[in-house]
Amino acid sequence: MKEGSPISILPPHRLDLAGHRRHNGVVPWVGYHGDDGRDRLIEAVGSAGLRGRGGAGFPTAVKLRAARAKRSIVVANGCEGDPLSRKDAVLLTLSPHLVLDGLQLAAHAIGAVETVLCVHAASPVLPSVHAALAERDDRVPVRVAEIPRRYVASEETALVRYLTSGDARPLGKVPRPAERGVRGRPTLVSNVETLAQLASAILLGPHHYRAARTELVTVTGAVRRPGVVELPAGSSLAAVLAAAGGEAEPVQVVLAGGSGGTWTSDLDGGLSGIPAVHALPARACGLEYTAKVLAFLAAESARQCGPCTFGLPSIAADFAELVRGGPSSARLARRLPLLTGRGACAHPDGAARLAESALRVFDADVRTHQAGGRCRVPAGVA
């Protein structure tokens, strides 16, 4: 990439190593040698304003500084457990070398001697990843780890636990991986798009990157071209839908932020959480869609904390009853606050956030169902 050129981290076709270097350039390692170079690298990432693209949006430079230590480890998270998101899989298929450049830069920044690229077991991205690794001769070895195909198995502390002991369940909120991660060593866990963006920031230079960066968003539902779109950072939900070809039929609301996101009709607002948007058609029942997502989230829990083991099945059952006309909205309103902030991970928080937004946005539909009617046709989970 050259100064002044538009940023694109998602090429139209898969790039091998030679194609990647023609399209994106070669990492300028000479400017980042030694401990001073590590400092300059982290400062450049901070100047670029890079934040994590896995959902939390935490400043990447802060995570790099926290994990910087002797014999540290970098874990690249490409698992993408949310069924509404496909951006990481597309990125690893089309531009694996940009991810791997970012992985090597992150490893250098924190002084890592080991890196692990995590994807779900039997993932379709594996051939692309292995082919890319075979083309490279990197400074820090990269190991590919196949993670169980469960929603919470890709939570960062679950990855740490799995890579340490083979148990893919979240460890809890403290200590963080940067303090004690894989095998007790300081560990940086970073989403693969974040690593690709890190590489772009260094290849372009922080100033140009900050002015013209793009982001990947998965769009599903009632749009003309569902899939992964690339658009300027901070774009509105309306722009996201437009990038996916616009509405294929009238849309009543969108689910922004993946399966643990929120329903909203404000298309002028931006996207937070997981970069995924589902456009619900006007003919579909948002309560039924929400009930199916909650049933999925309940089934995907690690079953080690009370909020997930007991709370999520209860909430999912309440919502299913609500769809059938049962008077469970008051009970849901009492139960939902009991889920948040109490689990080993944010899985119950996301389910509660989804349910609360559904009760608010589909309030009129709740009353229709409770009166014995059906507001619209059933809505399948995309």
Side-chain angles (χ1 to χ4, degrees):
M1 298 178 184
K2 297 180 180 179
E3 186 76 19
S5 65
I7 293 176
S8 176
I9 66 170
L10 196 66
H13 55 81
R14 187 184 185 281
L15 296 178
D16 61 10
L17 182 59
H20 159 70
R21 287 175 172 169
R22 286 194 302 270
H23 182 75
N24 297 315
V26 179
V27 174
W29 289 109
V30 67
Y32 299 106
H33 286 321
D35 285 340
D36 288 347
R38 299 181 205 278
D39 291 335
R40 287 193 297 274
L41 178 53
I42 295 175
E43 288 170 5
V45 173
S47 296
L50 180 60
R51 289 178 175 267
R53 294 292 295 158
F58 196 77
T60 303
V62 174
K63 290 188 73 171
L64 290 169
R65 290 191 186 98
R68 187 172 173 181
K70 291 182 179 179
R71 299 191 61 77
S72 55
I73 298 172
V74 180
V75 174
N77 187 354
C79 293
E80 208 161 31
D82 195 312
L84 291 177
S85 182
R86 292 289 298 157
K87 70 178 183 67
D88 294 342
V90 170
L91 185 59
L92 284 169
T93 300
L94 297 181
S95 195
H97 288 287
L98 192 62
V99 174
L100 294 171
D101 277 355
L103 182 55
Q104 291 298 314
L105 283 162
H108 179 64
I110 71 170
V113 295
E114 179 182 347
T115 67
V116 186
L117 174 55
C118 295
V119 298
H120 278 310
S123 170
V125 309
L126 283 166
S128 174
V129 168
H130 286 302
L133 288 171
E135 293 182 286
R136 302 173 66 95
D137 182 20
D138 284 319
R139 303 175 177 209
V140 183
V142 179
R143 175 167 66 92
V144 178
E146 297 188 40
I147 309 301
R149 299 186 67 86
R150 295 200 304 273
Y151 185 84
V152 297
S154 58
E155 190 269 343
E156 66 172 6
T157 66
L159 289 179
V160 165
R161 191 177 198 170
Y162 182 79
L163 294 172
T164 301
S165 68
D167 182 1
R169 293 182 298 165
L171 281 165
K173 297 180 175 63
V174 290
R176 302 312 303 165
E179 301 167 10
R180 188 167 72 245
V182 177
R183 302 191 300 279
R185 288 155 57 181
T187 301
L188 172 74
V189 182
S190 187
N191 171 260
V192 294
E193 188 196 342
T194 307
L195 294 172
Q197 297 281 5
L198 190 161
S200 292
I202 298 304
L203 288 163
L204 286 159
H207 176 74
H208 178 50
Y209 172 83
R210 189 171 190 131
R213 68 186 184 275
T214 61
E215 296 173 343
L216 304 181
V217 181
T218 309
V219 191
T220 55
V223 291
R224 289 190 174 89
R225 295 191 301 273
V228 177
V229 299
E230 184 173 12
L231 64 171
S235 294
S236 68
L237 291 170
V240 171
L241 297 185
E247 299 179 6
E249 58 179 291
V251 170
Q252 54 172 311
V253 292
V254 299
L255 175 57
S259 298
T262 57
W263 291 106
T264 181
S265 58
D266 179 15
L267 299 186
D268 292 328
L271 177 63
S272 61
I274 292 174
V277 174
H278 180 76
L280 187 74
R283 60 182 171 81
C285 175
L287 293 178
E288 294 194 12
Y289 187 98
T290 302
K292 291 177 180 179
V293 175
L294 289 171
F296 164 78
L297 294 176
E300 289 291 309
S301 82
R303 295 175 176 82
Q304 68 174 348
C305 301
C308 274
T309 303
F310 305 109
L312 291 191
S314 297
I315 297 302
D318 282 351
F319 233 90
E321 181 183 341
L322 183 64
V323 170
R324 294 192 297 267
S328 60
S329 57
R331 185 168 63 199
L332 274 165
R334 291 194 305 271
R335 285 179 166 178
L336 288 172
L338 301 177
L339 294 182
T340 57
R342 297 178 57 225
C345 68
H347 184 51
D349 300 61
R353 182 167 51 244
L354 172 69
E356 286 170 347
S357 72
L359 292 176
R360 181 178 63 254
V361 171
F362 303 118
D363 177 64
D365 295 343
V366 170
R367 294 194 297 271
T368 299
H369 279 259
Q370 289 178 329
R374 167 168 277 172
C375 56
R376 297 173 179 85
V377 300
V381 177

